[in-house]
Amino acid sequence: MKGIDVKRGVAATMERIVANTGSAFRSLEVKWFGNTAGINFERHGAQIDATVVFPSLGELAEVDRGTFNNLIGFALHEGLGHALYTNNEPWDDARTTQGQYVGQLINGLEDPRIEQRAIDSGFAPNSKFLFENLINAVLARDGYVEPDDLKNIPFLLAVEGQRLNGYHVNAPSITDQSPLAVHLHEALESAKRSINTEGVVLAAVKLYEQIKKYADEQQGSESKPEGDGKGDQKKPPTDDSGASQGDSQGNPLGQQGKQDSDQGDPSGQGDPSEKSGDKGGSKGKLDGGRKVDPASFIESEVKDKAMASKENTPRPYTNKPVIETFTWE
């Protein structure tokens, strides 16, 4: 199908969502520009202003049905899931005080929760099918992660949380193979029972303490000398400082309400999550893991289908206009 039909399909879907939710949205926009995917939303009392952003898509580009379904799934994940059911304040506070890795743990636990809320709402009857297709498309392209790779625990949480939602995930469960299996199960069940983002944040912070404890133990074990019969000796301290890699979500939007945006470290203390487990090999590191949010996958899906420069030239409409903004007073 052509890019222009894809845009119309996404716009029409979001228009139906807004209508189904009644007065929940004050305004909703769908924009296609640049190379970024994400959402920006703000609450004004009981109503929401939201903008779902997709990368530039040429109106004459050919888009297959699978990609179209993934674009719809992403729009529902962001515009129906996060916009309606995520509270940014506790998420942002935890990330600011405890580091980007904690923010990613929250993301991994929050994504399945808001998708289940979206499914239960009935506002988009086919949302479960679309969410399931999207995660399986990500796994088909990039594979799964290793159960003992600490930096990828956030991604593991997202996948296993979606499995708990009842999705048919095209990869075997690996939670029980993790050295932190008990704590992962506890966090997943706690997040699933949570009625809001605050509950998810508490579960993520509690899990982070266990991950940090395990990473510190592994680091201590790695620092002991081997084969000299003097187990009480320690290696000289090494400098584990380094520039922060920032938010592994890599969000360039810089807009309020984008859950995975890199807000930096206003405390000036650096990311505490980067201090643990960075001497036990790559699997002991807590930074640099797979992105939890499907935004980067969506960006890659349409990166070769950007709007050509000639398509930016104003021209008269010959068909139905592309409606990308909806406002209900």
Side-chain angles (χ1 to χ4, degrees):
M1 57 195 307
K2 296 295 183 181
I4 189 171
D5 297 318
V6 170
K7 291 180 178 181
R8 289 171 178 165
V10 173
T13 297
M14 300 314 292
E15 184 178 13
R16 287 196 298 271
I17 294 301
V18 170
N20 290 343
T21 57
S23 59
F25 287 91
R26 189 174 73 172
S27 67
L28 173 64
E29 292 184 274
V30 180
K31 294 185 176 180
W32 303 79
F33 66 90
N35 55 11
T36 300
I39 187 171
N40 172 47
F41 64 89
E42 296 179 355
R43 287 191 170 86
H44 303 274
Q47 292 187 307
I48 303 167
D49 288 332
T51 303
V52 179
V53 179
F54 286 96
S56 173
L57 176 64
E59 294 182 354
L60 301 180
E62 290 292 340
V63 179
D64 62 73
R65 175 62 61 173
T67 297
F68 175 67
N69 285 340
N70 289 334
L71 293 172
I72 295 289
F74 179 78
L76 294 177
H77 173 90
E78 299 287 352
L80 176 56
H82 280 306
L84 282 183
Y85 304 115
T86 287
N87 179 5
N88 287 308
E89 186 173 351
W91 187 337
D92 293 342
D93 288 347
R95 180 173 46 201
T96 297
T97 58
Q98 304 210 44
Q100 299 289 359
Y101 183 74
V102 171
Q104 295 308 305
L105 291 175
I106 296 170
N107 202 168
L109 293 171
E110 177 77 341
D111 274 8
R113 186 190 75 84
I114 58 99
E115 287 189 356
Q116 187 62 60
R117 290 291 301 274
I119 294 167
D120 293 343
S121 73
F123 295 145
N126 62 338
S127 56
K128 181 177 179 180
F129 166 79
L130 293 166
F131 293 151
E132 183 178 287
N133 272 7
L134 182 54
I135 186 56
N136 282 322
V138 173
L139 292 171
R141 189 193 70 175
D142 300 328
Y144 204 2
V145 297
E146 296 296 326
D148 59 344
D149 191 349
L150 300 187
K151 68 179 179 294
N152 279 319
I153 285 178
F155 186 81
L156 181 154
L157 292 171
V159 175
E160 298 305 329
Q162 290 166 322
R163 196 190 307 273
L164 284 177
N165 285 353
Y167 302 1
H168 177 74
V169 179
N170 295 332
S173 177
I174 59 174
T175 310
D176 289 337
Q177 301 172 40
S178 170
L180 291 155
V182 172
H183 305 296
L184 295 179
H185 280 298
E186 182 180 357
L188 286 164
E189 292 293 341
S190 180
K192 187 171 180 61
R193 294 193 303 268
S194 296
I195 61 174
N196 51 35
T197 307
E198 288 87 339
V200 170
V201 170
L202 291 175
V205 170
K206 184 176 180 181
L207 175 59
Y208 171 61
E209 291 302 321
Q210 296 300 324
I211 295 172
K212 186 175 182 296
K213 179 181 178 182
Y214 175 78
D216 288 343
E217 290 172 351
Q218 294 299 107
Q219 178 180 338
S221 175
E222 289 290 330
S223 68
K224 293 180 180 180
E226 299 179 0
D228 60 359
K230 299 178 181 180
D232 58 341
Q233 293 184 359
K234 296 182 179 180
K235 292 182 180 180
T238 57
D239 180 12
D240 63 355
S241 63
S244 170
Q245 295 185 16
D247 187 350
S248 63
Q249 293 294 318
N251 169 48
L253 283 176
Q255 297 173 315
Q256 180 182 351
K258 181 66 172 73
Q259 291 76 35
D260 52 335
S261 62
D262 183 356
Q263 298 183 357
D265 178 27
S267 68
Q269 300 297 316
D271 186 348
S273 66
E274 294 180 7
K275 302 298 183 182
S276 303
D278 57 353
K279 292 188 178 64
S282 62
K283 290 186 178 181
K285 293 182 179 180
L286 300 186
D287 59 305
R290 289 264 298 272
K291 297 178 181 179
V292 175
D293 196 274
S296 62
F297 175 80
I298 293 298
E299 291 161 7
S300 68
E301 286 281 273
V302 298
K303 67 179 181 180
D304 297 327
K305 300 177 176 62
M307 182 175 291
S309 58
K310 65 181 180 179
E311 292 185 75
N312 290 317
T313 303
R315 62 194 187 284
Y317 286 116
T318 57
N319 294 303
K320 178 182 176 182
V322 180
I323 302 174
E324 297 180 346
T325 302
F326 316 99
T327 302
W328 278 257
E329 299 297 342

